[in-house]
Amino acid sequence: MASAEAPMVGVIMGSKSDWEYMSAAAEVMDELKVSHEVRILSAHRTPEQTLEYSAGASARGLRVIIAGAGGAAHLAGVIAAKTLLPVIGVPMPTTSLNGIDSLLSIVQMPKGVPVATMAIGKPGAANAGLYAAQIIALGDAKLSERLAKWRAARAQELLQQKIP
Ligand code: RP5
């Protein structure tokens, strides 16, 4: 669910089929009250719109971009090429190679144009949302507090786990 207030994080993905996984990024940012927007843009199918989005992202107030794509996954890299905002890439397990292809494609950026690459699929998408929140929390003490509480709650959940 995208936020009503001015978005600080852009969550983009190469296809609607990626939402099954990328929704995990939006969910965690909803929990942490990090404003975000969601867009479908493709490095291959909509190259002009993708570059336009990236080039204008900072001026629109975005602070981080999360990009999920599968297969020949160029979306995060192409986005990173047109902005100085931090870009987080999430490999999608949407092809017959189950995301290994996407992972290698996203992680192998050339020197000079970094993309912070997460794990394949939902865990990577959730961590991308958390990582974006951590970046924004560097200048937002209240968000930093919410993150600390979120982590503490996860620790409590684990400590309460029992083997049946
Ligand atoms: C990539 O190809 C997308 O990011 C998606 O992971 C994959 C398959 O896309 P669809 O054919 O389902 O649209 O561009």
Side-chain angles (χ1 to χ4, degrees), residues 14-15 17-18 45 68-70 92 94:
S15 169
S17 60
D18 297 324
R45 292 163 171 161
M92 295 292 98
T94 45

Side-chain angles (χ1 to χ4, degrees), residues 15 44 68 93 109 127:
S15 169
H44 306 121
M109 285 299 290
N127 275 348

Side-chain angles (χ1 to χ4, degrees), residues 38-102:
V38 178
R39 296 273 188 284
I40 299 171
L41 287 167
S42 165
H44 306 121
R45 292 163 171 161
T46 63
E48 289 90 0
Q49 292 89 339
T50 300
L51 291 172
E52 196 182 328
Y53 179 89
S54 180
S58 179
R60 286 200 302 114
L62 293 180
R63 289 296 164 258
V64 183
I65 298 176
I66 297 172
H74 296 127
L75 185 60
V78 163
I79 289 278
K82 288 292 273 186
T83 184
L84 290 176
L85 293 177
V87 176
I88 306 171
V90 188
M92 295 292 98
T94 45
T95 69
S96 47
L97 297 182
N98 289 325
I100 295 291
D101 45 354
S102 328

